[in-house]
Amino acid sequence: MGKSLTIPILNDDLAESNETFSITLTGAAATNTATITILKQPIQVWRVTNFGTNANNAAIAGDLVDPMAMG
């Protein structure tokens, strides 16, 4: 009989790269490992790529920032 496992994923809405974790299941006959990747929204990945540590600073990388006013 199969068993299920629930892993809650919390949405933090931070601009960050895709997140990955691995899970290993061990039984009497075998051990299996799976890698899970949580895909972030493309705009979040773009912000991290282009703004680095300032990706979550609304004054620098926010939706309403005027790039012409940044100097």
Side-chain angles (χ1 to χ4, degrees):
M1 180 164 81
K3 296 182 180 181
S4 66
L5 171 69
T6 301
I7 301 172
I9 305 297
L10 304 177
N11 186 7
D12 56 18
D13 287 329
L14 293 176
E16 55 194 358
S17 300
N18 294 335
E19 298 172 306
T20 303
F21 65 94
S22 297
I23 184 167
T24 301
L25 304 174
T26 303
T31 299
N32 293 296
T33 300
T35 300
I36 295 90
T37 301
I38 303 168
L39 300 176
K40 300 306 260 179
Q41 294 178 0
I43 187 65
Q44 293 177 345
V45 175
W46 180 86
R47 281 185 173 140
V48 169
T49 301
N50 290 281
F51 294 101
T53 58
N54 289 313
N56 291 298
N57 183 337
I60 295 173
D63 292 341
L64 302 177
V65 173
D66 179 0
M68 301 304 287
M70 297 300 291

